Amino acid sequence: MFKRLSQIAFLTGAAHVFTLVALKFLSKNTSAATLTSIGEIDSIFQLLVSILGFGLQLSAVRHIAMEKNWKPFYYHTQRARITLGLLMMGVSLFTPIYPACWLFIFAPVFALSGDYALYGRGQPVKGAVWTFFRTFIPSLLLIVFVFINKRYLAAAYVSSTVAVFGITGFAISRQLQCKYLISPVLPALKLYLQNISLGIATVVMYILGLGLLFVASFFYNEQVLAVSYLGLKLYVIFKGIMRIINQSFVKEMIHDEMTLKADELSILVGSSFLGASLIFPKSMITIFFGSQYTTFTGFIILIGISALVMCIFISFHTRSLFKKKDKMYAKYAAAAAITSMVIVIVLSFFRQSPLNIGLALLTGELIFAAGLVYINKDAAILLRIKFLLTSLLCLLLPLIIRYLLGDTFAGLYTGMGMLGGLYIAVNYRKLFKTNLNFK
């Protein structure tokens, strides 16, 4: 279990850490307008992925993981995705009204990617390798073009992202031993209607992240959007890594023992993130955003709390789907997304601050978490809460380090390093020595 986990964590973590390095570099060497532009492109691409995966991806992973004859499900899903992708190109006609709409012409390239099938087939390490390239290469080109010509930063980001998706999508189809190019058929779109509940949940995953930046772009100034993009990108990266790790054991998630272990591991990571954000906020901001943003400590703290809330019951997403609770799952997901968007919009009329976006994110995650608990009330919820409280109690150690060394890099590294050691010492037998033999 943990060999696979370490490989996935290294691949996805390395690429995403490099992305944060690239964004920090951009924040220091470009204007807020340029950073906001990159953020807008990023959010649109994430929107494309979310719309194309509208329920189908979650449903396909479930079938691919549980069925021996999985290829028909894969081809049905891909046929629907490419059909919708071609239709989505029509959104580019609205470019005169909203310039970023031209990015929809690349929808078919994203639609042809079948990386989700790797996780359903129990090949998460291969999936992590392709995720690494998709994340690393566009980020690298952003840094390169800062030195070549800053005017082409946006073009470099768009072209590299689309190219790497096309190349890796073809490679993934070869690994799956499936066809890459699938003929579009309009009746295939019925699959989206059949999975509309899961589709709502997929879009919510986008909204509770960079989707909030898309909504905020109509109501906030460039400075707020630039800071919000950095914070939400950090959150999305963290959330993405946790979900990839969770997906890596999707075949085993039919067993409640595995969901409990996954949540306990997730709680340790989430409480560590919260500890760093809450106890050493200025150091965290300096590392990931740049020293020019150290006044926004409240925002990074809200990001940290949101991350922990998301982690506590992360396996309940998969558990809900395996229990066929799609409609109820979608209902709470929609409530979380709508509430978050309303908060972003309403608070914009009272103040221009990234805190609004952070508060909206936290509120959405709390509502979603409450819904997941209600859906999975037959799970060992009290055991998770007990484990959470024990993990939070351990934060007293970095808090003491903060008192001794202050909110400094030395304090952050020492405090979080000691916290990690304490977590391993306290939970070593529970997480590393327990054997779960599933058949």
Side-chain angles (χ1 to χ4, degrees), residues 143-336:
I143 294 177
V144 170
F145 271 82
V146 167
F147 296 102
I148 296 177
N149 194 324
K150 294 181 181 179
R151 290 181 299 176
Y152 297 111
L153 276 171
Y157 187 66
V158 170
S159 59
S160 61
T161 300
V162 173
V164 77
F165 256 88
I167 295 170
T168 57
F170 178 78
I172 289 168
S173 69
R174 296 281 75 83
Q175 285 187 337
L176 292 169
Q177 298 182 337
C178 294
K179 292 187 295 183
Y180 176 61
L181 296 176
I182 309 294
S183 301
V185 180
L186 283 175
L189 294 176
K190 292 180 181 179
L191 285 177
Y192 282 101
L193 295 177
Q194 293 171 6
N195 295 281
I196 192 168
S197 295
L198 292 178
I200 293 172
T202 302
V203 174
V204 168
M205 301 302 176
Y206 162 74
I207 293 175
L208 294 181
L210 289 178
L212 290 179
L213 182 71
F214 179 76
V215 175
S217 65
F218 297 97
F219 300 94
Y220 292 84
N221 59 49
E222 289 180 347
Q223 178 67 19
V224 172
L225 293 176
V227 177
S228 298
Y229 173 55
L230 291 172
L232 289 175
K233 186 64 176 180
L234 174 62
Y235 180 75
V236 167
I237 287 173
F238 177 82
K239 190 173 186 176
I241 292 173
M242 298 309 299
R243 291 201 176 281
I244 286 175
I245 291 174
N246 189 59
Q247 286 178 343
S248 302
F249 303 98
V250 67
K251 291 177 72 70
E252 295 93 340
M253 286 295 181
I254 58 175
H255 304 282
D256 282 343
E257 296 91 339
M258 187 62 203
T259 63
L260 177 59
K261 175 169 278 195
D263 284 345
E264 288 174 341
L265 180 60
S266 182
I267 288 170
L268 292 180
V269 179
S271 58
S272 297
F273 188 93
L274 172 63
S277 304
L278 182 64
I279 301 172
F280 305 97
K282 290 186 177 180
S283 297
M284 280 282 286
I285 290 175
T286 302
I287 290 173
F288 292 112
F289 304 168
S291 57
Q292 68 271 37
Y293 296 118
T294 52
T295 55
F296 299 103
T297 54
F299 180 53
I300 192 67
I301 291 173
L302 288 173
I303 294 294
I305 298 173
S306 300
L308 178 60
V309 171
M310 180 271 299
C311 285
I312 300 172
F313 307 107
I314 192 169
S315 73
F316 283 9
H317 294 275
T318 305
R319 193 178 189 274
S320 298
L321 301 182
F322 279 143
K323 297 292 184 181
K324 304 290 181 69
K325 301 290 186 180
D326 300 5
K327 291 184 179 180
M328 192 177 297
Y329 181 78
K331 180 177 70 174
Y332 286 106

Side-chain angles (χ1 to χ4, degrees), residues 15-234:
H16 288 311
V17 166
F18 185 76
T19 296
L20 293 174
V21 170
L23 290 178
K24 180 181 178 181
F25 183 77
L26 286 182
S27 70
K28 287 186 175 182
N29 295 278
T30 61
S31 64
T34 300
L35 192 60
T36 301
S37 177
I38 298 297
E40 184 177 43
I41 294 169
D42 197 3
S43 67
I44 291 295
F45 281 157
Q46 291 296 321
L47 177 61
L48 290 178
V49 172
S50 298
I51 294 174
L52 290 167
F54 193 84
L56 293 190
Q57 190 164 311
L58 292 174
S59 177
V61 169
R62 180 167 62 190
H63 284 298
I64 291 171
M66 300 177 70
E67 302 289 342
K68 289 184 178 181
N69 186 21
W70 58 273
K71 285 191 177 181
F73 295 102
Y74 174 76
Y75 283 127
H76 290 330
T77 302
Q78 287 297 92
R79 187 167 287 108
R81 283 167 59 87
I82 188 59
T83 303
L84 181 60
L86 291 170
L87 292 176
M88 286 170 61
M89 295 177 69
V91 177
S92 61
L93 296 175
F94 294 94
T95 299
I97 300 174
Y98 185 64
C101 284
W102 78 274
L103 295 170
F104 277 74
I105 64 174
F106 300 116
V109 179
F110 293 93
L112 287 169
S113 178
D115 57 319
Y116 58 90
L118 292 174
Y119 295 98
R121 294 303 302 154
Q123 302 175 33
V125 176
K126 291 181 179 179
V129 170
W130 299 123
T131 298
F132 174 86
F133 286 115
R134 289 177 175 180
T135 306
F136 178 80
I137 293 175
S139 298
L140 177 62
L141 284 182
L142 283 176
I143 294 177
V144 170
F145 271 82
V146 167
F147 296 102
I148 296 177
N149 194 324
K150 294 181 181 179
R151 290 181 299 176
Y152 297 111
L153 276 171
Y157 187 66
V158 170
S159 59
S160 61
T161 300
V162 173
V164 77
F165 256 88
I167 295 170
T168 57
F170 178 78
I172 289 168
S173 69
R174 296 281 75 83
Q175 285 187 337
L176 292 169
Q177 298 182 337
C178 294
K179 292 187 295 183
Y180 176 61
L181 296 176
I182 309 294
S183 301
V185 180
L186 283 175
L189 294 176
K190 292 180 181 179
L191 285 177
Y192 282 101
L193 295 177
Q194 293 171 6
N195 295 281
I196 192 168
S197 295
L198 292 178
I200 293 172
T202 302
V203 174
V204 168
M205 301 302 176
Y206 162 74
I207 293 175
L208 294 181
L210 289 178
L212 290 179
L213 182 71
F214 179 76
V215 175
S217 65
F218 297 97
F219 300 94
Y220 292 84
N221 59 49
E222 289 180 347
Q223 178 67 19
V224 172
L225 293 176
V227 177
S228 298
Y229 173 55
L230 291 172
L232 289 175
K233 186 64 176 180
L234 174 62

